[in-house]
Amino acid sequence: MKARKDSTSIRQENIGLVLGAILQEHEGISRADISKTTGLTRATVSRLVEELLDAQILEELAPVSPPTGRPALPLVVKKGKQCAIGVEINLEYVAVQIIDIAGNTLFEDKKTVDLRNSEPETVLRKLSATIESYLTNTDLDILSVVLCIPGLVAEDAQTILTAPNLGWHNVHPIAHLSFPGFEENRCFVMNEADAAAYAFLYARPGVLTGMKNFLYLSAEVGVGAAIVVNGRVFTGSRGWAGEIGHICVNLTGPQCRCGSNGCLEQYVGFDALVSRAQLPHGTDMETLCRMFDDRHDSVRRAIDEGALALGSTIANVLNLLDLDTVILGGNFAKLYSRMEIVLKSEIEYRALGRRWANVTLETSTYAHYGATRGGCMRALSSILENPARWDANGIPISFP
């Protein structure tokens, strides 16, 4: 038997309908058009809109005069007030983005730093200082903070079980974050590849792109993936799905930091590429690409071998999951033009479905901000789509 709806749940549902109609119209929508779209009475729409205006979720634009009738006041999601903070901690950089519920990027910062075998507390304290330096002269309401890491996260979304390339194990990072407006109960931890997938699921908070089935792959020193099926990120029974970097591509291959051997990461992770290209540790991506373009044999051989391993891995995933789109982020996006011929040939050779349907390969345009943007999109969208949770996230609107 279904539970009967009470006045509170009906009101929450109606607020969701009103806000959903406004989110879809980026240029603004009138109260009358919201009523037509949602089927709610104009009186109900007006009452709920006033509450959303008071809560600083919405704002009114300048009046628009129609051919007949009274001028309408278009409503849009308020800019520059309610926001989420996305943070990615990777091996060679820390990235921060602050995005408001209208989808505007208010702040972004990326610092290059070597975090191999780093101390979590030190990294997180410095990160807090970076965020605080921006927030000091602002009046933002922080609805959520998302910390994205290259590793496995516990089901409580609070604990990093292991991030082997960072050297972090059983870390509770939230305890080491502190800046104005930060509240521990509004902070959660995600795998960075899973977070980045949401940058492609959502065009802006609460508004889907229409992409429903794809594989997202990203590489830095490590290699991560997110699997999206029917518009949802597939996380597995414990949230650990997508560890594509540790799929074995060579049973007799080199030892991996995870403890196994022959992992994909040992062929396409950045440290592995540099080593296999016989270049010194510390060589950067620009140098690697330039040497490939200058036809250095060892570099070309390393990148071709990496493309071969990556192509066979992608084909295996496509055969297993019947996906038709692959998005390449991080270093894969930078290396794509150098890997393209070998990569496509291997997928064409091994992917069964290519006989009847094409596989689309795309590269991310978000550079080092894919995970931070996706984390913000996920956080803000989950809040906007669930009015019953607003109180816990600090949105000042009540449900008596």
PDB file of all heavy atoms in Angstrom, residues 68-82:
ATOM      1  N   THR A  68      -0.248  41.934 -25.595  1.00  0.00           N
ATOM      2  CA  THR A  68      -1.459  42.306 -24.869  1.00  0.00           C
ATOM      3  C   THR A  68      -1.295  41.916 -23.400  1.00  0.00           C
ATOM      4  O   THR A  68      -0.528  41.017 -23.060  1.00  0.00           O
ATOM      5  CB  THR A  68      -2.690  41.573 -25.437  1.00  0.00           C
ATOM      6  OG1 THR A  68      -2.503  40.158 -25.333  1.00  0.00           O
ATOM      7  CG2 THR A  68      -2.922  41.950 -26.897  1.00  0.00           C
ATOM      8  N   GLY A  69      -2.043  42.581 -22.548  1.00  0.00           N
ATOM      9  CA  GLY A  69      -2.007  42.234 -21.134  1.00  0.00           C
ATOM     10  C   GLY A  69      -0.909  42.969 -20.366  1.00  0.00           C
ATOM     11  O   GLY A  69      -0.191  43.813 -20.907  1.00  0.00           O
ATOM     12  N   ARG A  70      -0.795  42.618 -19.091  1.00  0.00           N
ATOM     13  CA  ARG A  70       0.157  43.287 -18.203  1.00  0.00           C
ATOM     14  C   ARG A  70       1.575  42.771 -18.418  1.00  0.00           C
ATOM     15  O   ARG A  70       1.768  41.627 -18.833  1.00  0.00           O
ATOM     16  CB  ARG A  70      -0.249  43.068 -16.754  1.00  0.00           C
ATOM     17  CG  ARG A  70      -1.557  43.746 -16.364  1.00  0.00           C
ATOM     18  CD  ARG A  70      -1.857  43.538 -14.899  1.00  0.00           C
ATOM     19  NE  ARG A  70      -2.047  42.124 -14.579  1.00  0.00           N
ATOM     20  CZ  ARG A  70      -2.261  41.663 -13.360  1.00  0.00           C
ATOM     21  NH1 ARG A  70      -2.288  42.503 -12.334  1.00  0.00           N
ATOM     22  NH2 ARG A  70      -2.431  40.362 -13.159  1.00  0.00           N
ATOM     23  N   PRO A  71       2.580  43.605 -18.125  1.00  0.00           N
ATOM     24  CA  PRO A  71       3.977  43.150 -18.230  1.00  0.00           C
ATOM     25  C   PRO A  71       4.225  41.951 -17.305  1.00  0.00           C
ATOM     26  O   PRO A  71       3.673  41.876 -16.206  1.00  0.00           O
ATOM     27  CB  PRO A  71       4.774  44.368 -17.775  1.00  0.00           C
ATOM     28  CG  PRO A  71       3.863  45.539 -17.989  1.00  0.00           C
ATOM     29  CD  PRO A  71       2.479  45.018 -17.732  1.00  0.00           C
ATOM     30  N   ALA A  72       5.047  41.017 -17.779  1.00  0.00           N
ATOM     31  CA  ALA A  72       5.397  39.834 -16.991  1.00  0.00           C
ATOM     32  C   ALA A  72       6.783  40.013 -16.389  1.00  0.00           C
ATOM     33  O   ALA A  72       7.651  40.669 -16.969  1.00  0.00           O
ATOM     34  CB  ALA A  72       5.371  38.596 -17.873  1.00  0.00           C
ATOM     35  N   LEU A  73       6.976  39.428 -15.206  1.00  0.00           N
ATOM     36  CA  LEU A  73       8.276  39.463 -14.551  1.00  0.00           C
ATOM     37  C   LEU A  73       8.936  38.091 -14.685  1.00  0.00           C
ATOM     38  O   LEU A  73       8.564  37.143 -13.989  1.00  0.00           O
ATOM     39  CB  LEU A  73       8.116  39.817 -13.065  1.00  0.00           C
ATOM     40  CG  LEU A  73       7.642  41.243 -12.746  1.00  0.00           C
ATOM     41  CD1 LEU A  73       7.278  41.361 -11.281  1.00  0.00           C
ATOM     42  CD2 LEU A  73       8.739  42.242 -13.105  1.00  0.00           C
ATOM     43  N   PRO A  74       9.892  37.951 -15.601  1.00  0.00           N
ATOM     44  CA  PRO A  74      10.547  36.645 -15.779  1.00  0.00           C
ATOM     45  C   PRO A  74      11.299  36.226 -14.510  1.00  0.00           C
ATOM     46  O   PRO A  74      11.946  37.051 -13.854  1.00  0.00           O
ATOM     47  CB  PRO A  74      11.511  36.879 -16.936  1.00  0.00           C
ATOM     48  CG  PRO A  74      11.025  38.112 -17.614  1.00  0.00           C
ATOM     49  CD  PRO A  74      10.408  38.948 -16.543  1.00  0.00           C
ATOM     50  N   LEU A  75      11.224  34.969 -14.192  1.00  0.00           N
ATOM     51  CA  LEU A  75      11.899  34.422 -13.024  1.00  0.00           C
ATOM     52  C   LEU A  75      13.054  33.536 -13.463  1.00  0.00           C
ATOM     53  O   LEU A  75      12.926  32.740 -14.385  1.00  0.00           O
ATOM     54  CB  LEU A  75      10.918  33.590 -12.192  1.00  0.00           C
ATOM     55  CG  LEU A  75       9.760  34.371 -11.560  1.00  0.00           C
ATOM     56  CD1 LEU A  75       8.596  33.437 -11.279  1.00  0.00           C
ATOM     57  CD2 LEU A  75      10.229  35.056 -10.280  1.00  0.00           C
ATOM     58  N   VAL A  76      14.192  33.693 -12.782  1.00  0.00           N
ATOM     59  CA  VAL A  76      15.360  32.849 -13.040  1.00  0.00           C
ATOM     60  C   VAL A  76      15.954  32.430 -11.707  1.00  0.00           C
ATOM     61  O   VAL A  76      15.649  33.008 -10.658  1.00  0.00           O
ATOM     62  CB  VAL A  76      16.437  33.589 -13.870  1.00  0.00           C
ATOM     63  CG1 VAL A  76      15.943  33.903 -15.263  1.00  0.00           C
ATOM     64  CG2 VAL A  76      16.904  34.855 -13.153  1.00  0.00           C
ATOM     65  N   VAL A  77      16.792  31.419 -11.752  1.00  0.00           N
ATOM     66  CA  VAL A  77      17.518  31.028 -10.552  1.00  0.00           C
ATOM     67  C   VAL A  77      18.509  32.135 -10.207  1.00  0.00           C
ATOM     68  O   VAL A  77      19.168  32.687 -11.085  1.00  0.00           O
ATOM     69  CB  VAL A  77      18.257  29.688 -10.772  1.00  0.00           C
ATOM     70  CG1 VAL A  77      19.066  29.307  -9.542  1.00  0.00           C
ATOM     71  CG2 VAL A  77      17.263  28.585 -11.094  1.00  0.00           C
ATOM     72  N   LYS A  78      18.597  32.475  -8.939  1.00  0.00           N
ATOM     73  CA  LYS A  78      19.432  33.593  -8.509  1.00  0.00           C
ATOM     74  C   LYS A  78      20.914  33.296  -8.698  1.00  0.00           C
ATOM     75  O   LYS A  78      21.400  32.228  -8.338  1.00  0.00           O
ATOM     76  CB  LYS A  78      19.167  33.911  -7.036  1.00  0.00           C
ATOM     77  CG  LYS A  78      19.909  35.162  -6.529  1.00  0.00           C
ATOM     78  CD  LYS A  78      19.520  35.488  -5.110  1.00  0.00           C
ATOM     79  CE  LYS A  78      20.274  36.692  -4.576  1.00  0.00           C
ATOM     80  NZ  LYS A  78      19.959  37.922  -5.323  1.00  0.00           N
ATOM     81  N   LYS A  79      21.621  34.255  -9.239  1.00  0.00           N
ATOM     82  CA  LYS A  79      23.054  34.111  -9.478  1.00  0.00           C
ATOM     83  C   LYS A  79      23.858  34.571  -8.264  1.00  0.00           C
ATOM     84  O   LYS A  79      23.460  35.489  -7.546  1.00  0.00           O
ATOM     85  CB  LYS A  79      23.469  34.933 -10.700  1.00  0.00           C
ATOM     86  CG  LYS A  79      22.775  34.528 -11.996  1.00  0.00           C
ATOM     87  CD  LYS A  79      23.211  35.416 -13.138  1.00  0.00           C
ATOM     88  CE  LYS A  79      22.506  35.000 -14.444  1.00  0.00           C
ATOM     89  NZ  LYS A  79      22.903  35.876 -15.566  1.00  0.00           N
ATOM     90  N   GLY A  80      24.988  33.905  -8.067  1.00  0.00           N
ATOM     91  CA  GLY A  80      25.978  34.386  -7.122  1.00  0.00           C
ATOM     92  C   GLY A  80      25.614  34.340  -5.660  1.00  0.00           C
ATOM     93  O   GLY A  80      26.162  35.119  -4.870  1.00  0.00           O
ATOM     94  N   LYS A  81      24.724  33.449  -5.259  1.00  0.00           N
ATOM     95  CA  LYS A  81      24.344  33.379  -3.845  1.00  0.00           C
ATOM     96  C   LYS A  81      24.478  31.952  -3.311  1.00  0.00           C
ATOM     97  O   LYS A  81      25.409  31.637  -2.593  1.00  0.00           O
ATOM     98  CB  LYS A  81      22.912  33.906  -3.667  1.00  0.00           C
ATOM     99  CG  LYS A  81      22.438  33.924  -2.214  1.00  0.00           C
ATOM    100  CD  LYS A  81      23.300  34.820  -1.333  1.00  0.00           C
ATOM    101  CE  LYS A  81      22.757  34.864   0.087  1.00  0.00           C
ATOM    102  NZ  LYS A  81      23.642  35.639   0.990  1.00  0.00           N
ATOM    103  N   GLN A  82      23.530  31.078  -3.661  1.00  0.00           N
ATOM    104  CA  GLN A  82      23.600  29.685  -3.224  1.00  0.00           C
ATOM    105  C   GLN A  82      24.601  28.942  -4.115  1.00  0.00           C
ATOM    106  O   GLN A  82      24.549  29.040  -5.331  1.00  0.00           O
ATOM    107  CB  GLN A  82      22.224  29.025  -3.345  1.00  0.00           C
ATOM    108  CG  GLN A  82      21.071  29.842  -2.801  1.00  0.00           C
ATOM    109  CD  GLN A  82      20.883  29.621  -1.311  1.00  0.00           C
ATOM    110  OE1 GLN A  82      21.665  28.939  -0.669  1.00  0.00           O
ATOM    111  NE2 GLN A  82      19.822  30.197  -0.753  1.00  0.00           N
TER     112      GLN A  82
END
